[in-house]
């Protein structure tokens, strides 16, 4: 089952279209969820039969509109709608528990104007164990490319799995992006490196890593994009030509107590295409 969160925003509509297409390709049902959040209104909670209030009605309208859109895009997909009381972040987190994937918009109705990523999307991407796809509002032409960010840690393996599967069902090219950087030394800038050796070794490591996938997905065309750059820059650039950018939730660096690694966060904020965050087990 694929879950999509809707709040009536343009980005959430794009999320519905994305989720309906993914559900179609994965042969899975679609669950459209709207969280009815009363906390900002400080309204006492009346039982539904006593007071079918404006928030609830508005929620129904949002869900009806989303359902019509899903049907229009993918008439063959079985879709249901659900309005659930609670904060959007908590409701979606809960809904994701038995989902194979959750899709949200990058922005919603609230938030400040300059924000690149809404708080609900950020929360879901940081807390949910299934893959989270964050979809942008802008409509872009289909590029036929899925990009995936690889580091040298086993944590990027689930992302690689997801990316190959997506490339395969979409008939898209897979661009495997590995950005590497030499450590910055404050006191020993003279440590000698043979840059050509380093470059060759980095490339070799990526080719080896992809070998097993080449066997499993012989139809998927692979582009190895190994470069000396900051990973967020390399991924942002790759996102310009991709329909989907896939990243893991953590890499080798950073604290595991953090909800998302710095590269995943950077990708979520700056990518031009949809971003899937795939957490390891
Ligand atoms: N009440 C809600 N019910 C379900 N999904 C929601 C709700 N609010 C937000 N979302 C989901 O989260 C996405 C991002 O919204 P949000 O993080 O709230 O951004 P903003 O801060 O701009 O409002 C939306 O596009 C939608 O997919
Ligand atoms: Mg919001």
């Amino acid at each position: 089952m694929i879950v999509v969160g809707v709040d009536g925003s343009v980005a959430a509509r794009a999320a519905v279209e994305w989720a309906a297409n993914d559900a179609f390709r994965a042969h899975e049902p679609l669950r459209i969820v709207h969280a009815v959040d009363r906390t900002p209104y400080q309204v006492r909670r009346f039982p539904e039969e006593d007071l079918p209030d404006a928030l609830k009605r508005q929620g129904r309208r949002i869900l009806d509109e989303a359902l019509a859109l899903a049907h229009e895009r993918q008439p063959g997909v079985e879709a249901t709608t659900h309005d659930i009381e609670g904060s959007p972040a908590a409701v979606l987190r809960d809904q994701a528990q038995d989902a194979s994937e959750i899709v949200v918009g990058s922005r919603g109705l609230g938030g400040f104007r300059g924000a690149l990523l809404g708080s609900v999307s950020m929360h879901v991407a940081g807390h949910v164990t299934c893959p989270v796809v964050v979809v942008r509002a802008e409509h872009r032409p289909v590029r036929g490319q899925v990009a995936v960010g690889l580091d040298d840690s086993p944590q990027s393996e689930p992302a690689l799995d997801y990316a190959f599967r997506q490339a395969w069902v979409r008939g898209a090219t897979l661009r495997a992006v590995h950005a590497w950087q030499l450590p910055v030394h404050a006191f020993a800038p003279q440590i000698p490196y043979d840059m050509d050796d380093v470059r060759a070794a980095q490339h070799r490591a990526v080719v080896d890593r992809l070998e097993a996938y080449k066997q499993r997905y012989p139809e998927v065309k692979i582009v190895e994009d190994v470069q000396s750059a900051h990973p967020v820059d390399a991924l942002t650039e790759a996102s310009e030509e991709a329909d989907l950018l896939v990243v893991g939730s953590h890499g080798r660096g950073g604290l595991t107590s953090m909800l998302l690694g710095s590269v995943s966060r950077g990708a979520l904020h700056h990518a031009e295409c949809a971003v899937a965050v795939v957490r390891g087990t």
Side-chain angles (χ1 to χ4, degrees):
M1 177 211 3
I2 291 178
V3 171
V4 58
V6 293
D7 63 353
S9 64
V10 185
R13 272 197 286 279
V16 169
E17 299 189 56
W18 187 280
N21 291 337
D22 267 6
F24 174 76
R25 285 186 290 251
H27 310 286
E28 289 193 45
L30 176 65
R31 192 176 169 92
I32 306 171
V33 176
H34 174 69
V36 181
D37 191 2
R38 288 173 199 279
T39 43
Y41 302 91
Q42 308 265 298
V43 178
R44 257 184 66 205
R45 246 177 242 231
F46 291 98
E48 204 179 319
E49 51 276 23
D50 291 357
L51 188 71
D53 63 23
L55 277 184
K56 190 102 184 162
R57 277 200 306 274
Q58 178 193 301
R60 285 301 337 160
R61 269 204 305 275
I62 290 169
L63 285 169
D64 289 345
E65 184 213 46
L67 183 65
L69 181 56
H71 277 155
E72 186 193 313
R73 284 291 168 268
Q74 293 294 347
V77 168
E78 179 200 328
T80 52
T81 58
H82 308 264
D83 50 347
I84 302 169
E85 299 238 351
S87 85
V91 167
L92 294 180
R93 190 172 164 176
D94 199 47
Q95 289 289 310
Q97 268 169 12
D98 41 22
S100 59
E101 172 177 300
I102 180 160
V103 186
V104 290
S106 60
R107 288 289 314 273
L109 289 177
F112 67 95
R113 221 155 22 112
L116 297 170
L117 195 67
S119 61
V120 174
S121 335
M122 191 67 203
H123 181 95
V124 172
H127 285 90
V128 157
T129 50
C130 69
V132 178
V133 186
V134 176
V135 181
R136 298 197 181 271
E138 301 77 36
H139 267 278
R140 304 162 78 237
V142 176
R143 303 316 214 263
Q145 191 164 133
V146 172
V148 60
L150 285 188
D151 59 6
D152 55 0
S153 78
Q155 276 87 316
S156 53
E157 207 61 29
L160 206 48
D161 275 328
Y162 182 88
F164 264 95
R165 200 170 169 79
Q166 285 294 322
W168 184 66
V169 293
R170 290 161 183 267
T173 298
L174 184 107
R175 182 181 206 91
V177 182
H178 175 61
W180 55 275
Q181 287 176 301
L182 292 176
V184 179
H185 300 287
F187 298 110
Q190 72 279 28
I191 290 181
Y193 294 104
D194 184 328
M195 284 302 278
D196 287 339
D197 283 356
V198 178
R199 216 181 294 279
Q202 293 285 354
H203 194 261
R204 186 76 248 152
V206 170
V207 171
D208 289 349
R209 186 89 186 275
L210 295 174
E211 193 47 48
Y213 289 93
K214 282 186 187 158
Q215 314 284 328
R216 258 168 64 197
Y217 296 96
E219 305 90 348
V220 174
K221 183 170 176 269
I222 302 173
V223 176
E224 286 131 5
D225 181 355
V226 183
Q227 43 172 304
S228 168
H230 190 281
V232 176
D233 288 334
L235 293 174
T236 305
E237 198 189 304
S239 76
E240 290 167 17
E241 291 304 315
D243 303 313
L244 172 67
L245 169 65
V246 185
V247 292
S249 58
H250 288 90
R252 198 185 283 294
L255 308 166
T256 43
S257 63
M258 280 191 353
L259 299 172
L260 284 176
S262 62
V263 172
S264 323
R265 257 182 302 143
L268 277 171
H269 279 96
H270 300 295
E272 294 196 5
C273 65
V275 177
V277 177
V278 184
R279 201 161 289 268
T281 40

